[in-house]
Amino acid sequence: MTNPAPPNLSRSQRGVMALITSPRRLLRFLRDPAAPKLPKAMAVLAMLYVVMPADLIPDVMPILGWLDDLGLTGVALGYLATKAASYEDAEDVKKENEAKGGGEAIGVKPVGP
């Protein structure tokens, strides 16, 4: 079941909205072995970047170091949310087609990188 979102939002905005309003969808995406691996890997690498002492801009520089980590994490989470929303959309279409007696989802783009 998906949360209704305003139709004028882009896919990335819908992904971020879904991440905020329904974190369970994101957890389902992360736990699903059939989901694309690249967004999962990017999220893990972004979190490692935040906790590692060696950064592009070290955290010793109070404002710039923190903004560096925040920006990279924001980009990675935005990408992850976009891919999770695409994956959920494809799964919803697939379930609707199966409920109607059809097989595979027709006209759904692959979710890969």
Side-chain angles (χ1 to χ4, degrees), residues 42-43 45-52 55-59 61-79:
M42 283 188 67
L45 290 174
M47 293 303 127
L48 286 175
Y49 181 81
V50 169
V51 297
M52 285 185 57
D55 286 354
L56 186 62
I57 301 174
D59 292 340
M61 298 175 69
I63 305 296
L64 291 177
W66 301 332
L67 288 175
D68 163 21
D69 292 348
L70 184 64
L72 184 84
T73 304
V75 168
L77 286 178
Y79 178 72

Side-chain angles (χ1 to χ4, degrees), residues 21-96:
T21 60
S22 179
R24 288 183 182 181
R25 292 177 73 190
L26 179 63
L27 288 175
R28 243 191 341 259
F29 174 76
L30 292 173
R31 290 182 180 167
D32 188 358
K37 308 243 182 305
L38 183 62
K40 295 177 188 182
M42 283 188 67
V44 169
L45 290 174
M47 293 303 127
L48 286 175
Y49 181 81
V50 169
V51 297
M52 285 185 57
D55 286 354
L56 186 62
I57 301 174
D59 292 340
V60 177
M61 298 175 69
I63 305 296
L64 291 177
W66 301 332
L67 288 175
D68 163 21
D69 292 348
L70 184 64
L72 184 84
T73 304
V75 168
L77 286 178
Y79 178 72
L80 178 66
T82 302
K83 292 302 176 181
S86 299
Y87 181 75
E88 284 288 326
D89 290 345
E91 288 296 311
D92 290 345
V93 169
K94 185 177 176 182
K95 287 178 184 176
E96 286 175 11

Side-chain angles (χ1 to χ4, degrees), residues 6-28:
N8 57 349
L9 295 178
S10 70
R11 180 173 286 195
S12 62
Q13 290 170 331
R14 284 188 296 126
V16 172
M17 287 282 295
L19 177 66
I20 293 169
T21 60
S22 179
R24 288 183 182 181
R25 292 177 73 190
L26 179 63
L27 288 175
R28 243 191 341 259

